Each structure stands twice: as C-alpha cells, then as structure tokens.
Amino acid sequence: MNSSTARQTPHRVGFVSLGCPKATVDSEHILTQLRAEGYDIVPRYEDADLVVVNTCGFIDAAIEESLEAIGEALDENGKVIVTGCLGAKGDIVKQSHPDVLAVTGPHATNEVMQAIHQYLPAKHDPFIDLVPPQGVRLTPRHYAYLKISEGCNHRCTFCIIPSLRGDLVSRPVNDVLVEAERLAAAGVKELLVVSQDTSAYGVDVKYKTEFYNGMPVKTRMTELCQALSQFGIWVRLHYVYPYPHVNEIIPLMAEGKILPYLDIPFQHASAKILKAMKRPASSENTLQRINQWREICPDITIRSTFIAGFPGETEEDFEQLLDFLDAAQLDRVGCFAYSDVDGAKANELAGAVPEEVKQERVARFMEKQAGISANKLKKNIGKRRDVIIDAIDTAENMIIARTSSDAPDIDGLVYIEMPDNNNYQVGDIIQVKITDTDEYDMWATK
C-alpha cells in the first residue's frame, strides 16, 4: 500500500473534566463525539495536539481550581479550549488566560466540536469518510438550502404540517452556523434559509443563547441573520410569517447584510377569509407594514403566495384580494386554487367554491399580477444589476442568471448575451446592464 492510500494518524485530544456529575455527563458527550469523528483521546499533555478543559464555576474554590487547570494546560501544551460553567461567567477566563483558543458555556458539545474543527480539523480518511464535509446535496454547487427548524406551532385550517411534522423544533443556532460555514467553504454563494415558519425560529427554546466561535448568539431570526452575514455570501429568507419582529430584519437588508428579499405568504386580504384560515393580520395592517419596510429598504423585493377559492370566499372577498394587489404592488407573487387536503380543518368549512370558479379567479389574479410585475421590471431597464450565474448555454450563446430579487426555481431569470472569450462560470456573481424585460424575466448585456 503506497503513502497516498495509507491510513492517516488521527489527531489526539487531551481532556480535563472538573465539576459536578452534570459536568461529567457533558464531558462524556464531548468525548463520545470526539471518538465518533475519529479523534484519539490521550492522557498526557505532551501527547495531545490540543487540550479541552471542562470547568466548574459554582463556588470560588471551583473557579480557582478551574483557572489553575487552564493555566496548567496552557503551560504544558499551549493549545486549550475551555468549556463548562466557568465559560458562561462573562470574561473571567479570557481575562485570566487570554491565550485560550475558544471559550464556551456548559452543555455545549456542538460549540466545543466546532472549535476543535477550527483548530484541529478532522482528517479525511478515505476508508471511513464517505460523505464530503458539506454533506450530500441535491442543489447545484453554488446555492444551498439551509433548514433552521422543523414543524410549526400554527394551526392554519388549510394546512396539515403540524400533524405531519409536529410542533416547531428549532435547530441549535450553532449547528445552523456550522453548516452555513461548511457550505460557504465548499463554494456555496447563496444560502436559502427555509423552515415551516422561519420567523418563529427559537420560540420553542425561549431564544436560548448558544456559542459559535466563542461568541454568544441567540436562537432567534434577527441574531441568526446577523451571524449569517459574516460569511460574505447571499442570504435569502423564505417562509417568513408576519410577526411584528420581522421589522427588525429590514435594516439588515438595507445595510446589505442579507439580501433585500422577503418571502412572506400573506395567503389572502379579506379579513373574513383570513379568520377562516386562522391567519394573522388584516390587509390594512399589512399594507402599512409593507410601506414601512420600503421606506427603510427601498430596494426590498417582497414575494408572497395566495389562495383563491377558499371555502366561503365570495366575489366580494376576491375583489378585496385584487384591490390588495393594486395597493401592495408586490414584486413576486404566486396564486393557487384551494384544494382539500386530507386531515385539514378547512375541509369542514361551509361554502365550497366550484372548481371552475376557483380556476377563473386564479386566472384573473395572475393576469392582474402579470401587469404589476411587468411595470415593476420595466423600471430596471438601463440599470446595472448584480446577478448570480445559474447556467451557461453555449448552444444558445447565452448566460442564464438571477438577480438578488429572484430565488431559484420560483422567480424570474436574467438572460445575458455571452461576451466574447467568456471566462465566467456557474456561481459567479457579475454585474450586467438590463436591456429588456417582460412580465417575469429580464435580458441584459455585460
């Protein structure tokens, strides 16, 4: 067996565990994960590539013991990651030992592993590592979906997600950020944040604060968006429920930290129908908020979806929806005819709308929105826009791309005449000049 196929020597980690039984369990979890990832655990400082110290901070004597253990590890080894209760007590560790590599709080296996990965990356072993660091993905290399939670706490009458997937369960914010970091390192240029209810992220864990790269981050949409902005790639939000705190992320869009794009399914505009759907808000409040968002971030793109033909929807209700479209001037819109779903409460509602009426209303809705979209896109003619390349069609001599206003698969495209000696690749973000538009797509030159 030659050197290129020989098995690699695993990295070695030393471990010091202090404190109560709960801290011991935390240590066991970390040690288990280390072994699962192929790290060796060694008993002597001189044999270790780095050392983890799990501390106690309950009483003064425990604090002193922990600080001494950290100092000893630094003297004997030099590379130390600190976790445990003392790590949650402000800057005590950093003030006493500024040379430690990272500090986390207790019950923080994921944060500790992230720090270890940063300073002592697990070695690739072709005999046991069958999955790349960024995981197996079904999307093109340049963009990826980043799921932040599962399930939903709402009980919309047309939806059965809670019965299929349960109530909201938010992913630990450190897990989300570590995945985002790996995706960015693997060449992803655009993250599409998805869930059943993105704006509810962290509600189930009371917005718990965790550590990522030694920094505290709340399990909350606003703080997550701020943290995601550090990777220097496009971040696009989908499935945002119209909670009041959605207003907090609009300044982040205006500052260029995340894309000025908000996918927020309003579903309808009639107060009667929204109540029957068990959806929040009214069209008047929604219009007011949209105007506020646009004042803060004039470049914001608002995408939404609506349902036509919901049980009990009258012609008057539908006309209210069309009036809302005129007033809201949304940028990207989809409309679906209501259909019964097994197990949905809406099936029990009176006033079923005939199928032909549903389809006629969807057609009227989309005709109105097509005119709105055409007028809005026309304003781009003559402007320069950043676009991300999705495909290069050499047969048609065309580059196919999207602006920040367009999500893959559901929004419009930009068709760019391929320049001479084209050196662009899929995933490149380039600037183009818009020359023509229709209802949904645009054309441009370099």
Side-chain angles (χ1 to χ4, degrees):
M1 183 180 296
N2 61 38
S3 59
S4 64
T5 59
R7 304 192 71 159
Q8 301 184 57
T9 302
H11 286 309
R12 297 166 297 180
V13 176
F15 206 101
V16 178
S17 184
L18 306 172
C20 67
K22 292 186 287 293
T24 300
V25 172
D26 288 349
S27 295
E28 290 172 346
H29 288 167
I30 297 168
L31 290 167
T32 298
Q33 188 62 32
L34 284 166
R35 293 296 296 122
E37 296 189 16
Y39 291 90
D40 275 351
I41 311 301
V42 295
R44 299 193 302 175
Y45 290 125
E46 58 266 32
D47 294 331
D49 296 307
L50 64 74
V51 177
V52 177
V53 180
N54 190 6
T55 61
C56 180
F58 186 63
I59 59 176
D60 289 344
I63 293 173
E64 184 178 350
E65 180 188 21
S66 295
L67 290 174
E68 288 178 357
I70 296 167
E72 181 181 352
L74 283 169
D75 290 339
E76 297 293 330
N77 183 275
K79 296 181 178 179
V80 178
I81 292 170
V82 177
T83 186
C85 294
L86 188 60
K89 285 183 173 289
D91 295 325
I92 291 177
V93 174
K94 281 288 189 179
Q95 288 173 356
S96 299
H97 300 294
D99 293 331
V100 297
L101 299 177
V103 182
T104 81
H107 192 55
T109 300
N110 293 324
E111 292 90 333
V112 172
M113 292 306 302
Q114 194 279 332
I116 291 172
H117 292 153
Q118 180 179 355
Y119 294 103
L120 198 64
K123 295 181 179 179
H124 176 72
D125 186 343
F127 292 90
I128 60 174
D129 294 345
L130 303 180
V131 180
Q134 71 274 19
V136 176
R137 297 182 9 242
L138 299 177
T139 54
R141 185 174 181 270
H142 63 292
Y143 69 82
Y145 293 100
L146 182 66
K147 182 188 257 189
I148 64 172
S149 66
E150 188 62 86
C152 184
N153 288 343
H154 296 288
R155 296 297 183 263
C156 301
T157 56
F158 55 83
C159 181
I160 60 169
I161 283 176
S163 64
L164 293 177
R165 298 180 180 269
D167 289 338
L168 177 75
V169 178
S170 300
R171 288 182 63 192
V173 68
N174 180 72
D175 285 5
V176 175
L177 292 172
V178 167
E179 181 180 355
E181 181 181 19
R182 289 175 179 172
L183 289 168
V188 167
K189 302 293 182 63
E190 178 181 9
L191 291 175
L192 300 103
V193 178
V194 296
S195 67
Q196 273 76 47
D197 183 359
T198 296
S199 43
Y201 179 62
V203 168
D204 55 314
V205 295
K206 300 180 180 179
Y207 304 122
K208 174 185 176 183
T209 297
E210 294 193 354
F211 287 84
Y212 169 74
N213 272 352
M215 298 295 294
V217 183
K218 274 190 176 182
T219 309
R220 191 169 178 268
M221 181 177 67
T222 302
E223 286 78 2
L224 174 64
C225 290
Q226 290 172 330
L228 288 172
S229 70
Q230 71 182 284
F231 299 120
I233 59 180
W234 285 10
V235 177
R236 188 185 302 277
L237 300 182
H238 285 277
Y239 311 116
V240 177
Y241 204 83
Y243 294 121
H245 71 265
V246 170
N247 295 355
E248 297 174 10
I249 64 174
I250 308 304
L252 300 182
M253 296 178 178
E255 295 165 11
K257 292 185 176 181
I258 61 175
L259 290 184
Y261 180 99
L262 193 59
D263 174 18
I264 186 162
F266 294 122
Q267 304 300 3
H268 216 280
S270 162
K272 183 190 81 177
I273 297 301
L274 286 170
K275 184 177 180 180
M277 290 177 168
K278 292 192 175 179
R279 296 286 294 184
S282 66
S283 58
E284 292 81 8
N285 292 338
T286 298
L287 287 172
Q288 183 180 10
R289 294 184 74 190
I290 289 172
N291 290 333
Q292 290 173 345
W293 296 340
R294 285 173 171 156
E295 287 177 5
I296 296 169
C297 183
D299 294 332
I300 190 172
T301 295
I302 302 175
R303 153 168 268 284
S304 192
T305 51
F306 296 85
I307 298 174
F310 190 80
E313 183 189 68
T314 63
E315 179 62 23
E316 181 182 356
D317 295 321
F318 183 69
E319 289 290 345
Q320 288 182 36
L321 180 53
L322 295 183
D323 290 342
F324 175 80
L325 285 184
D326 281 330
Q329 293 289 299
L330 301 176
D331 302 276
R332 308 288 188 266
V333 173
C335 184
F336 306 92
Y338 171 80
S339 60
D340 288 342
V341 177
D342 288 344
K345 292 293 184 180
N347 301 347
E348 304 168 8
L349 297 177
V353 179
E355 188 62 32
E356 61 271 19
V357 176
K358 295 179 192 176
Q359 297 302 329
E360 182 262 347
R361 288 178 180 171
V362 169
R364 287 164 60 194
F365 180 104
M366 292 308 298
E367 181 179 9
K368 176 172 284 290
Q369 180 57 33
I372 293 171
S373 179
N375 288 333
K376 291 181 78 72
L377 287 183
K378 192 178 298 182
K379 296 177 182 178
N380 285 279
I381 294 177
K383 293 183 178 180
R384 300 196 69 82
R385 295 288 306 268
D386 288 341
V387 299
I388 187 167
I389 297 176
D390 280 340
I392 297 177
D393 188 340
T394 54
E396 296 294 330
N397 201 38
M398 190 75 66
I399 295 173
I400 302 168
R402 291 177 289 109
T403 69
S404 62
S405 302
D406 300 287
D409 297 329
I410 57 174
D411 293 329
L413 297 170
V414 180
Y415 297 94
I416 307 155
E417 182 178 346
M418 193 179 301
D420 295 335
N421 301 318
N422 173 56
N423 293 317
Y424 297 121
Q425 298 179 350
V426 170
D428 286 349
I429 296 176
I430 63 174
Q431 194 173 86
V432 299
K433 183 178 181 179
I434 306 300
T435 58
D436 197 10
T437 61
D438 64 12
E439 292 92 342
Y440 303 111
D441 299 320
M442 299 190 287
W443 284 260
T445 58
K446 186 62 181 75

